[in-house]
């Protein structure tokens, strides 16, 4: 594939992933009890068990203050509980409650049902191909993230607009890759 065609195709991939992210945010806002924002916290606690807040933020690659707010919201719902860390009085431990586990299981079912509906006309082979390709993409992005080097093509936290051509051109108006129909 020529370099220009490769860049165009990668631009298409980026636009599709961005469109999916927009749709996912919309779907998360529609989840019951406003639990969508804490769903990743519940997932991490379900996977890792009782965890220090700082470790939870690390697992989620989020700022500690963001995770702390989500945990506070989930505490109000009775989905998680926080207790003093007996090994370090400056920190607390967070764990999922039985009610939180039930909420997490319900959220997983909602997401599974959405994916089932969205892929109802897909063959098992197409789903297996998608799964394999997404895993390969995740692994490649994860390797890049572990190197933790700043992306040199992005402007450094200023109000300077990105250079022309820094992002792929917008999708045609009303296309599948432009969910807003702009």
């Amino acid at each position: 594939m020529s370099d220009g065609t490769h860049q165009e195709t990668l631009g298409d991939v980026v636009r599709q992933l961005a469109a999916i992210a927009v749709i996912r945010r919309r779907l998360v806002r529609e989840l019951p009890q406003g639990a969508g924002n804490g769903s990743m916290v519940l997932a991490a606690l379900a996977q890792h068990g009782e965890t220090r807040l700082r470790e939870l933020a690390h697992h989620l690659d989020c700022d500690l203050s963001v995770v702390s707010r989500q945990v506070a919201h989930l505490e109000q719902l009775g989905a998680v509980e926080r207790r003093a860390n007996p090994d370090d009085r400056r920190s607390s431990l967070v764990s999922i409650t039985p009610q939180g586990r039930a909420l997490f299981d319900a959220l997983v079912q909602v997401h599974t049902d959405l994916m089932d509906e969205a892929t109802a006309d897909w063959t098992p082979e197409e789903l297996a191909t998608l799964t394999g390709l997404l895993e390969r993409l995740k692994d490649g992005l994860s390797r890049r993230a572990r190197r933790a080097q700043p992306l040199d093509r992005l402007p450094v936290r200023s109000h300077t607009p990105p250079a022309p051509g820094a992002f792929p051109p917008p999708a045609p108006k009303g296309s599948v890759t432009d969910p807003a129909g702009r």
Side-chain angles (χ1 to χ4, degrees):
M1 188 180 307
S2 74
D3 191 42
T5 304
H6 185 73
Q7 289 298 313
E8 269 184 47
T9 303
L10 289 176
D12 290 340
V13 169
V14 168
R15 283 188 291 279
Q16 291 297 331
L17 290 172
I20 289 169
V22 167
I23 293 166
R24 185 184 176 286
R25 279 192 303 273
R26 185 180 327 133
L27 292 170
V28 163
R29 283 193 304 266
E30 295 172 7
L31 290 173
Q33 302 176 12
N37 289 334
S39 61
M40 297 308 291
V41 169
L42 291 175
L45 290 172
Q47 179 180 359
H48 299 286
E50 186 175 61
T51 307
R52 285 183 25 209
L53 205 54
R54 187 169 302 285
E55 290 170 359
L56 187 58
H58 176 74
H59 289 308
L60 296 172
D61 194 26
C62 281
D63 188 79
L64 182 60
S65 64
V66 171
V67 173
S68 183
R69 280 192 302 274
Q70 290 178 350
V71 165
H73 174 71
L74 290 169
E75 264 185 306
Q76 290 175 346
L77 296 176
V80 301
E81 56 189 16
R82 204 184 312 212
R83 69 180 182 93
N85 184 345
D87 297 330
D88 181 357
R89 297 180 143 233
R90 295 168 297 169
S91 68
S92 59
L93 297 171
V94 181
S95 60
I96 193 168
T97 64
Q99 184 177 343
R101 174 55 86 166
L103 177 58
F104 174 68
D105 292 344
L107 292 171
V108 168
Q109 190 59 54
V110 166
H111 282 94
T112 302
D113 291 347
L114 287 168
M115 290 300 291
D116 185 41
E117 184 179 332
T119 60
D121 59 344
W122 291 38
T123 66
E125 293 79 18
E126 288 171 321
L127 284 172
T129 298
L130 176 65
T131 301
L133 292 173
L134 287 172
E135 185 171 348
R136 188 172 169 195
L137 176 61
K138 174 196 56 104
D139 290 346
L141 290 171
S142 180
R143 281 192 304 276
R144 171 60 178 84
R146 280 194 305 269
R147 289 195 316 249
Q149 298 171 359
L151 297 174
D152 58 355
R153 289 174 280 178
L154 292 176
V156 177
R157 294 203 178 249
S158 71
H159 296 295
T160 308
F167 294 100
K173 183 177 180 174
S175 72
V176 173
T177 58
D178 181 12
R182 287 176 259 151

